[in-house]
């Protein structure tokens, strides 16, 4: 019941491909005289070569199954691996403990890897993924991916090379974890394997990742990374110029370049083994260029004849990698032509039987099921981890004998710095890296002294490439380390936002939490920076962050909150694998005063470790200020804000108090998830809410705050005051578009002059 003979392929070109393989395999000429039945074939024992063919044949039949399932309405993914089955040679050349981030046409690699680990059925894994079955072992039916924690295959969902920065990070982390004595899921002599296509190789993400790999190799840093470019000459319908991959990568000294024709199985095996051995022995990157073909179009919906001629398509049949392996089997006397056909058909029978079993498998049945892996929260465990402190000796060493709790009140920047030092002393797996963070200590001195205290293996400067910064963090996070990367300015994050959106945020979702991205991404941002302005150093755009499912956004405004919230974010990363973005307001880094010069109203004493549990700030909890509680009978208003807006709101509250108005202030502190319960309580307390939002009117935080109030059934008065929908210019011109205390006060008075708060709110006061 295999192949076109039994109606198992369709009218999408698969009939022709199937017939060509069967006819060509049947005509293979056995050698004369026959060689011994069990020779060493190109360095592989006969059983290994047979296993290679089995993986390739099953992968081909899985592509046919994907189309059959789709035609029946029982399958949902038809991007196949047909023509790329030479990647099974890469799996054969590597170890099943080598972490692999695969190309989406790596079906044969996955099946060969699964066969290397007893008890795993790669065919069933793939079919469950095609059917979006809840029992699929890596994503649970959320996406068709190649992945399995037991097989060291990290699931990838991108088709545009966004996994390459992470692959660089994994390779870097293998050696760094060993150097730091941190437990890692990868053996110390493992190599990272990363597959991608020729079209993806042109993407800026791939170019940046490969450049970072070259830079590491140039500096002599261990980076055991095997890059595998599966070059079929097409990106959907767009042709890659002939010879381009070889010209772009073959003439470089690094990564070391290896190449082979995929249809020549012996050559593919030799090249894959040579490249893998080179990486493993030298701990340096290599680039394996496999020249492949692509059968059956880009996917089931791709009308390949609209951009390729029938003659071109037919000519590719001669480069079928399954035929290449069949020739090798026959040439070495391992199988006769009829036995090749029989073995191929047997693979089809196995796929067909498994297909019937999974076609009706249950799928995810509720939003709760779908969303379960996005953002697990164990607040009690996080609170306990946030209170974890280094021992007294380690703290004295970290701070040079002068503990921060003895320093007196600290600014925001100082609070972050001292907290990072405490975290480093308590957690040997912590890494901090980014542009200028080491010797310079950051543009604003926030990381000053950390490299000296904890060494270059844990605090180091990165290349000037935000995608590589985040990719390194993504790789470190899945390798047993806890990364705290820094993006120098919020505006620079947008160069690399997909590393958060498409890689960090999705990994737990598409692996059901089997793989996690623990990370605390520190970013200096917002406006109001004096003397060093302009859009790229005063960016207030956070909309790109707020809609990423599961990502926590912390936005402290003062030192005490920054210290507690940073401990929380690191603890959540360690406990739940949380991805946090820690937004630090540049203009408040070194601010000391609140109302008058010298009042020290915006500094805080540093809490000693014995007070950390009491000072813990859970994710999604706001901070309230009630500057004049004695004025409970006065007209009231709640100013809801964050970051720079908090001291602005407190000063406005003081001005309003002078005219007989009791103004409370709520610092949201967390922009995702919003502290909805605290927000509603603060709103109900006065019946009037003014959202003081320094971000832009369109896409700003206030949109989410007002929506949260409406969703919660709040019936009081509400308004917002925001910065303009503008980029931030240089100099004083910035204050024409940024929120100001004057506009906050004016908006507050307009809200107070409106109709009185409903009776229910007056009674609540």
């Amino acid at each position: 019941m295999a192949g076109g003979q039994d109606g198992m392929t369709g009218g999408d070109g698969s009939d022709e491909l199937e017939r060509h393989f069967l006819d060509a395999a049947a005509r293979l000429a056995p050698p004369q005289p026959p060689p011994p039945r069990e020779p060493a074939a190109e360095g592989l024992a006969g059983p290994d070569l047979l296993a290679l063919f089995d993986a390739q044949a099953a992968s081909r039949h899985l592509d046919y199954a994907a189309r059959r399932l789709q035609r029946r309405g029982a399958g949902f993914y038809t991007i196949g691996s047909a023509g790329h089955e030479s990647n099974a040679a890469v799996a054969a050349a590597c170890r099943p403990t080598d972490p692999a981030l695969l190309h989406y046409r790596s079906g044969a690699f996955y099946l060969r890897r699964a066969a290397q680990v007893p008890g795993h059925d790669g065919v069933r894994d793939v079919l469950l993924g095609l059917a979006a079955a809840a029992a699929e072992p890596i994503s649970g039916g959320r996406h068709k991916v190649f992945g399995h924690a037991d097989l060291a295959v990290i699931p990838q969902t991108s088709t545009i090379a966004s996994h390459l920065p992470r692959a660089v990070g994994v390779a870097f982390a293998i050696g760094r974890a060993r150097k730091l004595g941190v437990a890692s899921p990868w053996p110390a002599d493992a190599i990272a394997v990363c597959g991608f296509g020729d079209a993806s190789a042109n993407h800026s993400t791939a170019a940046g990742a490969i450049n970072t790999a070259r830079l590491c190799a140039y500096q002599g840093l261990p980076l055991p990374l095997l890059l595998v470019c599966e070059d079929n000459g097409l990106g959907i319908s767009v042709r890659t110029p002939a010879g381009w991959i070889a010209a772009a990568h073959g003439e470089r000294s690094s990564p070391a370049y290896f190449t082979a024709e995929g249809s020549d199985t012996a050559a593919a095996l030799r090249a894959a083994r040579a490249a893998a051995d080179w990486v493993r022995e030298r701990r340096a990157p290599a680039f394996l260029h496999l020249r492949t073909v692509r059968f059956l179009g880009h996917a089931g919906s791709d009308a390949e004849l609209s951009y390729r001629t029938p003659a071109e398509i037919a000519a590719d049949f001669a480069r079928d990698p399954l035929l290449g392996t069949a020739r090798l089997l026959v040439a070495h006397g391992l199988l006769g032509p009829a036995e090749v056909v029989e073995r191929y058909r047997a693979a089809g029978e196995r796929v067909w039987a498994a297909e019937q079993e999974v076609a009706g498998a249950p799928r995810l049945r509720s939003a709760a099921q779908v969303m379960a892996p996005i953002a697990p929260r164990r607040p009690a465990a996080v609170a306990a981890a946030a209170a974890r402190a280094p021992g007294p000796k380690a703290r004295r060493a970290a701070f040079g004998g002068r503990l921060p709790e003895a320093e007196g009140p600290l600014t925001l920047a100082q609070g972050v710095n001292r907290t990072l030092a405490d975290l480093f002393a308590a957690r040997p797996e912590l890494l901090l890296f980014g542009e200028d963070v080491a010797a310079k200590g950051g543009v604003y001195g926030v990381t000053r002294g950390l490299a000296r205290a904890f060494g270059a293996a844990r605090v180091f400067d990165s290349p000037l490439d935000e995608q590589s910064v985040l990719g390194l963090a993504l790789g470190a996070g899945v390798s047993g380390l806890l990364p705290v990367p820094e993006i120098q300015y919020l505006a620079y994050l947008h160069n690399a936002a997909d590393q958060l959106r498409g890689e960090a945020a999705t990994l737990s979702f598409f692996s059901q939490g089997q793989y996690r991205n623990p990370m605390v991404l520190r970013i200096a941002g917002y406006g109001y920076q004096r003397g060093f302005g302009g859009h790229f150093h005063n960016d207030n755009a956070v909309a790109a962050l707020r809609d990423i499912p599961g990502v926590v956004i912390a936005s402290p405004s003062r030192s005490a909150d920054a210290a507690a919230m940073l401990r929380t974010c690191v603890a959540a990363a360690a406990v739940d694998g949380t991805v946090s973005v820690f937004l630090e307001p540049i203009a408040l880094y070194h601010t000391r005063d609140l109302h008058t010069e010298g009042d020290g109203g915006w500094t805080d004493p540093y809490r000693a470790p014995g007070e950390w549990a009491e000072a813990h700030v859970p994710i999604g909890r706001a901070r309230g200020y009630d500057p004049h509680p004695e004025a409970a009978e006065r007209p009231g208003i709640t100013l809801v804000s964050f970051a720079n807006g908090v001291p602005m709101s407190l000063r406005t509250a003081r001005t309003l108090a002078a005219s007989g108005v009791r103004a409370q202030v709520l610092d949201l502190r967390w922009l995702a998830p919003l502290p909805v319960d605290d927000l509603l309580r603060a709103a109900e307390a006065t019946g009037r809410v003014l959202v003081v939002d320094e971000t832009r009117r369109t896409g700003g935080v206030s949109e989410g705050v007002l929506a949260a109030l409406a969703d919660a059934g709040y019936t009081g008065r509400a308004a917002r005051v925001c910065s303009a929908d503008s980029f931030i210019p240089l100099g004083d011109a910035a204050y024409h578009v940024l929120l100001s205390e004057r506009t906050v006060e004016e908006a507050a008075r307009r809200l107070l002059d409106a109709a009185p708060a409903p009776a229910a709110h007056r009674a609540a006061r």
Side-chain angles (χ1 to χ4, degrees):
M1 290 178 57
Q5 291 180 339
D6 301 290
M8 293 176 60
T9 56
D12 53 8
S14 52
D15 286 331
E16 293 84 351
L17 179 60
E18 179 81 340
R19 281 195 300 270
H20 183 272
F21 173 78
L22 291 172
D23 293 345
R27 293 195 305 268
L28 291 173
Q32 296 297 331
R37 295 290 292 177
E38 290 293 335
E42 301 298 332
L44 281 177
D48 294 330
L49 194 56
L50 289 167
L52 189 76
F53 179 77
D54 289 343
Q56 294 177 318
S59 179
R60 180 68 56 85
H61 284 291
L62 283 169
D63 287 347
Y64 297 150
R67 286 161 166 74
R68 290 194 298 268
L69 287 166
Q70 185 189 51
R71 288 194 294 270
R72 295 164 54 189
F76 307 94
Y77 190 91
T78 55
I79 296 179
S81 302
H84 281 242
E85 291 92 350
S86 53
N87 54 43
V90 182
C94 296
R95 300 172 184 170
T97 52
D98 290 333
L101 301 87
L102 299 181
H103 184 30
Y104 57 93
R105 298 195 192 278
S106 294
F109 180 109
Y110 184 81
L111 296 183
R112 185 68 193 95
R113 171 66 65 92
Q116 293 171 319
V117 180
H120 286 278
D121 185 350
V123 166
R124 185 176 177 82
D125 290 353
V126 174
L127 285 167
L128 287 167
L130 294 172
E136 192 271 329
I138 188 70
S139 76
R142 292 169 181 83
H143 200 280
K144 161 60 182 70
V145 294
F146 292 123
H148 204 299
D150 293 346
L151 307 180
V153 178
I154 303 169
Q156 302 303 313
T157 60
S158 169
T159 60
I160 320 176
S162 73
H163 60 299
L164 268 74
R166 184 203 295 276
V168 174
V170 170
F172 177 88
I174 290 170
R176 191 53 51 101
R178 180 184 183 186
K179 182 172 184 176
L180 296 175
V182 172
S184 172
W186 325 126
D189 63 346
I191 67 173
V193 186
C194 179
F196 53 98
D198 51 291
S200 296
N202 294 317
H203 199 278
S204 63
T205 309
I210 294 170
N211 181 73
T212 298
R214 295 179 64 217
L215 179 60
C216 288
Y218 183 80
Q219 294 176 290
L221 297 173
L223 196 85
L225 174 64
L226 177 57
L227 296 159
V228 184
C229 180
E230 301 180 25
D231 177 9
N232 63 34
L234 288 166
I236 304 183
S237 67
V238 179
R239 298 173 190 266
T240 299
W244 167 242
I245 295 299
H249 299 279
E251 298 177 5
R252 294 176 169 177
S253 59
S254 176
Y257 179 78
F258 301 82
T259 187
E261 166 59 44
S263 62
D264 183 344
T265 303
L269 285 166
R270 284 195 300 269
R273 285 201 304 271
D277 291 347
W278 198 95
V279 173
R280 199 178 307 279
E281 293 166 6
R282 291 169 173 78
R283 316 306 291 166
F287 189 103
L288 173 59
H289 177 197
L290 280 180
R291 301 187 298 279
T292 67
V293 291
R294 187 194 73 189
F295 295 136
L296 310 180
H298 175 71
S301 60
D302 180 27
E304 191 174 29
L305 283 171
S306 66
Y307 55 87
R308 299 188 75 200
T309 68
E312 284 182 298
I313 296 171
D316 281 347
F317 289 170
R319 298 177 60 202
D320 187 342
L322 267 71
L323 275 176
T325 306
R327 290 190 190 98
L328 194 59
L329 289 169
V330 172
H332 285 279
L334 294 167
L335 293 178
E339 291 172 307
V340 167
V341 172
E342 181 183 353
R343 198 173 187 99
Y344 175 81
R345 288 185 181 276
E349 294 282 0
R350 289 193 300 275
V351 170
W352 172 262
E355 178 186 340
Q356 306 319 299
E357 292 178 13
V358 308
R363 300 171 193 154
L364 297 169
R365 299 188 183 277
S366 68
Q369 272 190 303
V370 171
M371 298 168 63
I374 289 180
R377 297 272 184 266
R378 288 177 285 177
V382 169
R388 171 181 165 182
K393 184 177 180 181
R395 292 195 81 221
R396 285 194 298 272
F399 294 109
R402 188 188 184 196
L403 298 179
E405 53 266 37
E407 289 188 64
L410 303 178
T411 63
L412 174 67
Q414 291 171 325
V416 172
N417 177 274
R418 302 329 185 247
T419 305
L420 285 170
D422 259 328
L423 289 165
F424 265 106
R427 295 185 174 274
E429 72 274 22
L430 204 74
L431 298 181
L432 187 146
F433 48 89
E435 298 155 18
D436 299 302
V437 302
K440 182 178 176 65
V443 173
Y444 300 96
V446 180
T447 58
R448 186 172 296 146
L450 296 178
R452 183 174 60 254
F454 299 102
R458 300 183 68 193
V459 183
F460 50 91
D461 292 325
S462 70
L464 187 66
D465 175 33
E466 286 73 25
Q467 291 187 120
S468 291
V469 172
L470 293 178
L472 178 56
L474 291 167
V478 297
S479 302
L481 299 166
L482 206 165
V484 183
E486 177 184 300
I487 299 293
Q488 203 163 77
Y489 291 100
L490 180 57
Y492 298 167
L493 172 68
H494 303 301
N495 299 329
D498 187 55
Q499 292 296 300
L500 282 177
R501 181 184 305 276
E503 293 291 325
T506 63
L507 184 62
S508 183
F509 182 68
F510 290 127
S511 70
Q512 301 187 92
Q514 296 170 73
Y515 286 108
R516 310 184 311 167
N517 286 300
M519 179 198 308
V520 181
L521 172 60
R522 295 179 45 253
I523 310 175
Y526 300 121
Y528 305 99
Q529 183 181 186
R530 296 181 181 274
F532 193 42
H535 162 61
F536 283 100
H537 303 110
N538 286 270
D539 185 29
N540 58 358
V542 300
L545 293 170
R546 290 194 63 249
D547 76 336
I548 305 177
V551 170
V552 168
I553 306 175
S555 185
S557 63
R558 63 186 306 153
S559 180
D561 287 342
M565 293 167 69
L566 186 54
R567 288 194 294 267
T568 297
C569 288
V570 169
V575 170
D576 291 327
T578 301
V579 178
S580 295
V581 178
F582 199 81
L583 292 175
E584 300 169 5
I586 299 170
L588 297 179
Y589 266 149
H590 305 298
T591 297
R592 290 187 170 276
D593 304 323
L594 177 58
H595 295 295
T596 59
E597 185 175 353
D599 69 7
W602 213 240
T603 59
D604 295 303
Y606 190 85
R607 297 271 198 147
E611 301 173 344
W612 289 358
E614 175 191 352
H616 174 59
V617 176
I619 292 172
R621 289 301 308 271
R623 173 173 181 161
Y625 295 85
D626 191 357
H628 301 284
E630 74 284 353
E633 298 306 315
R634 297 181 184 178
I637 188 171
T638 300
L639 306 179
V640 175
S641 195
F642 58 94
N644 292 288
V646 176
M648 293 169 65
S649 295
L650 287 168
R651 288 190 286 268
T652 300
R654 189 182 198 188
T655 301
L656 293 173
S659 58
V661 175
R662 181 190 182 192
Q664 300 180 35
V665 175
L666 185 76
D667 181 353
L668 294 170
R669 297 197 292 198
W670 306 92
L671 306 186
L674 284 169
V676 175
D677 292 342
D678 293 336
L679 171 64
L680 190 61
R681 278 192 293 270
E684 295 282 1
T686 63
R688 295 183 178 89
V689 173
L690 178 65
V691 185
V692 179
D693 181 5
E694 67 180 283
T695 63
R696 301 170 192 170
R697 177 168 293 276
T698 301
V701 174
S702 57
E703 292 180 341
V705 174
L706 293 178
L709 287 171
D711 289 346
Y714 173 69
T715 58
R717 310 297 179 194
R720 62 177 176 146
V721 58
C722 312
S723 294
D725 284 344
S726 172
F727 300 110
I728 300 174
L730 281 171
D732 293 343
Y735 298 98
H736 296 306
V737 296
L738 286 172
L739 184 68
S740 70
E741 288 179 36
R742 178 181 60 80
T743 57
V744 174
E745 182 184 349
E746 290 172 353
R749 293 194 183 280
R750 284 196 300 272
L751 190 59
L752 288 161
D753 291 342
H761 296 291
R762 293 197 299 273
R765 295 204 309 273

